[in-house]
Each structure stands twice: as C-alpha cells, then as structure tokens.
C-alpha cells in the first residue's frame, strides 16, 4: 500500500495518512509507534500536551527507518505562547524527542482570549525554528478563519497546514475553506469522531456495499476531500484496517451521503477554538 505524499506550500511534502498518538500512554508510546511503523505508517502526530514525545523519539531512533522516510509532527503547548516561553518549549520538545530535526511544528491552539489576544508573536517565533533547521515546516492547529487571516497579514508567513477537528459529523467547512483559500492544507483531527461516526447508518451502508469497514469508509471520505488524517488506535488489527484506504474509492453518491450526516456546529466534539482558554 502506497500512501500518497501531498505537496505543502513551502516546497516540502507530507504523507496523507499518519498515526496519531493522543491518549497513548507515555510508557506504551515507543512500543505503539514501533507497531505503527511495522504496519507501514511513516507519519506520526504528537504534541507536548500528550506527554509522549519521548516515546515517539525513541521509536524513531530505534526503527532503523531512514529519517527522510519519516514525517514527525509536534505542537506548542498552551502555556507557552509568549516568545521566550515558546523558545524554551521548543528546546524541550527537541530534547524530549532527541532528534536532529522534526518535520512539522504547530501552534496547538490559537487561544484568542489569552495572552492579550496575541498569537501573532507566537507565530513569528516559530519561524525562527525553521531558520535554525530544527523543524522543516511550521503550521497551526485549531485556527479559525480570522486567526489565519491575521497571522498571514501581519507576518507574511503562511502555515503549511491547519490541523482542525473534522469528521463526518462535523465537516468544519468554514475553517476548512479558509485554510484551502490560503493554500493551507487541512489535517483532520479525530477523523473518525473517536469512533462515534462508525455506527452511522449511512457510513455502515456504504461499508457493507463496498465490503469495507465503517472506519475505512470514514477515513476514505477525508482522503477524497484532499485532507490529511492520522487515526489513533492501540490495536494492531485496527492500525492495519485504518491503513488500508488507498485501494478503493467512494462514488459521488457515497460522498454526498456522508456529507449529509454533518450536524453543523452541533457535531463539534471538541472545544470551540474561539473560546478555548485551557492551559494544562
Ligand atoms: P480518532 O477519530 O482517530 O479516533 C480514535 C478512537 O477511535 C480510538 O481510540 C479507538 O477507540 C477508535 N478506533 C480507531 N480505529 C478504529 C477502527 N478501525 N474501528 C473501530 N474503532 C476505532 O480520534 P483522536 O485520537 O482524537 O484523533 C486522531 C489524532 O488527531 C490524535 O491522536 C491526535 O494526533 C490528533 N488530535 C489533535 C487535536 C488537536 O487539537 N490538534 C485534538 C484531538 C486529536
């Protein structure tokens, strides 16, 4: 199975399918990521907030896979938006991972009600980490249209991705359209709605028709929208299932049937980024 590589706006590329490690316990992360590598995943999405960067770095170093075949993302935690703190936090991320470089570093949340509404200086600080070679690319997560407009207008630097909540119950069209309009690729977090979308009759019916599983159908829906996904599972069989999404296609009718179960803002499972103000 070949995972497509998508071009990013800074000239780099990213595997369209990866493996997310949110809620993977720190003491099981190295082993879980090693299993994901064995299944074929080459793109890992972690964050300082997840507490498991150390395990991701260990798995990368132990894998024997050439570093340029792997794609590793981490994110700036919410308590560290001030430039001096962001620099220290990135130093810590790099020391946790014990890698020469990572591929992508994101601002995890915009936190527009904190830090006097300043997420622009945070964004400008991330450009230093590209300049010093410790990350290849920088991007954002949970940025709404206004947040994206503002960082791009004030710094001239366009994020390569915006990682936002998206799944069949919540297509998140406004943040998605704003990202794509700027040439920013969308990464869909909780792509199967943490399992909640898998019992949807429309998804189940398409899965039965195609001889696939509901998870494969939901993930394929993202792929056909052109978005990047990194489902999480601790079970090898599910990791394998979630990996097998590039040998079938959904028809226009199937796409429309899945689009029709969008619940609008009610479908959001996570916090609204305009209001979210949590510092761990
Ligand atoms: P997900 O949609 O990937 O769902 C994961 C859960 O679904 C698993 O715990 C498991 O219970 C179930 N599952 C997985 N595969 C399955 C299968 N084939 N069949 C049945 N059930 C299955 O949710 P997630 O972990 O929240 O999101 C994926 C990744 O997105 C995270 O690991 C993380 O990397 C990222 N994320 C980012 C943010 C952010 O704010 N940037 C927030 C949440 C998640």
């Amino acid at each position: 199975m070949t995972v497509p590589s998508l071009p990013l706006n800074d000239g780099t590329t990213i595997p369209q399918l990866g493996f997310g490690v949110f809620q993977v316990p720190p003491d099981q992360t190295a082993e879980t990521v090693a299993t994901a590598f064995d299944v074929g995943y080459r793109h890992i999405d972690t964050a300082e907030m997840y507490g498991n960067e150390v395990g991701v770095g260990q798995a990368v170093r132990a894998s024997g896979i050439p570093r340029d075949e792997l794609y590793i993302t981490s994110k700036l935690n919410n308590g560290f938006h001030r430039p001096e703190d962001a620099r220290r936090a990135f130093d810590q991320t790099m020391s946790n991972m014990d890698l020469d470089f990572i591929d992508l570093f994101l601002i995890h949340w915009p936190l527009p009600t904190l830090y006097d509404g300043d997420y622009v200086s945070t964004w400008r600080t991330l450009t230093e980490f590209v300049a010093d070679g410790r990350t290849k690319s920088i991007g954002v997560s949970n940025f709404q249209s206004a947040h994206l407009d503002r960082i791009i207008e004030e710094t001239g630097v366009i994020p390569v991705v915006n990682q936002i909540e998206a799944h069949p119950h919540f297509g998140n069209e406004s943040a998605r359209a704003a990202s794509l309009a700027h040439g920013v690729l969308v990464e869909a977090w909780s792509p199967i709605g943490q399992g909640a979308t898998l019992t949807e009759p429309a998804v189940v019916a398409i899965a039965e028709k195609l001889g696939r599983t509901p998870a494969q159908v939901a993930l394929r829906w993202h792929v056909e929208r052109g978005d990047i996904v990194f489902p999480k599972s601790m079970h090898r069989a599910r990791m394998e299932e979630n990996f097998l999404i590039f040998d079938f296609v959904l028809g226009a009718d199937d796409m429309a049937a899945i689009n029709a179960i969008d619940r609008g803002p009610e479908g959001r499972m996570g916090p609204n980024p305009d209001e979210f103000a949590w510092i761990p």
Side-chain angles (χ1 to χ4, degrees), residues 98-117:
D98 197 9
L99 299 174
D100 293 338
F101 67 92
I102 60 172
D103 296 275
L104 178 61
F105 192 60
L106 309 179
I107 299 181
H108 207 146
W109 289 88
L111 309 174
T113 64
L114 299 180
Y115 300 106
D116 309 310

Side-chain angles (χ1 to χ4, degrees), residues 20 22 45 50 141-142 163 189-192 194 232 241-242:
F22 177 44
D45 184 85
Y50 306 164
S141 178
N142 299 300
Q163 183 178 127
W189 64 252
S190 295
I192 58 173
Q194 296 190 336
K232 172 252 172 185
E241 173 186 335
N242 296 344

Side-chain angles (χ1 to χ4, degrees), residues 122-138:
T122 317
W123 177 239
R124 198 172 278 117
T125 303
L126 262 57
T127 64
E128 298 170 14
F129 312 148
V130 178
D132 69 25
R134 288 184 295 162
T135 184
K136 300 279 182 201
S137 300
I138 51 175

Side-chain angles (χ1 to χ4, degrees), residues 20 32 42 46 67 73 77 98 107 117 144 146 174 177 211 219 225 264:
T32 303
R42 292 292 180 267
T46 184
R67 181 63 186 84
T73 300
N77 208 341
D98 197 9
I107 299 181
Q144 305 276 56
S174 60
L219 293 169
R225 276 157 50 106

Side-chain angles (χ1 to χ4, degrees), residues 196-259:
T197 61
L198 305 183
T199 50
E200 270 292 342
V203 175
V204 172
I206 295 165
E208 281 170 3
K209 181 182 78 177
L210 298 177
R212 293 286 168 162
T213 68
Q216 289 172 327
V217 168
L219 293 169
R220 183 70 207 175
W221 172 79
H222 290 282
V223 165
E224 293 195 17
R225 276 157 50 106
D227 295 349
I228 298 155
V229 283
F230 23 78
K232 172 252 172 185
S233 176
M234 300 285 292
H235 307 287
R236 186 183 175 108
R238 284 178 172 175
M239 291 183 197
E240 286 172 347
E241 173 186 335
N242 296 344
F243 193 71
L244 296 176
I245 57 170
F246 295 103
D247 59 346
F248 74 106
V249 291
L250 298 174
D253 290 1
D254 300 328
M255 291 297 288
I258 300 172
N259 291 340

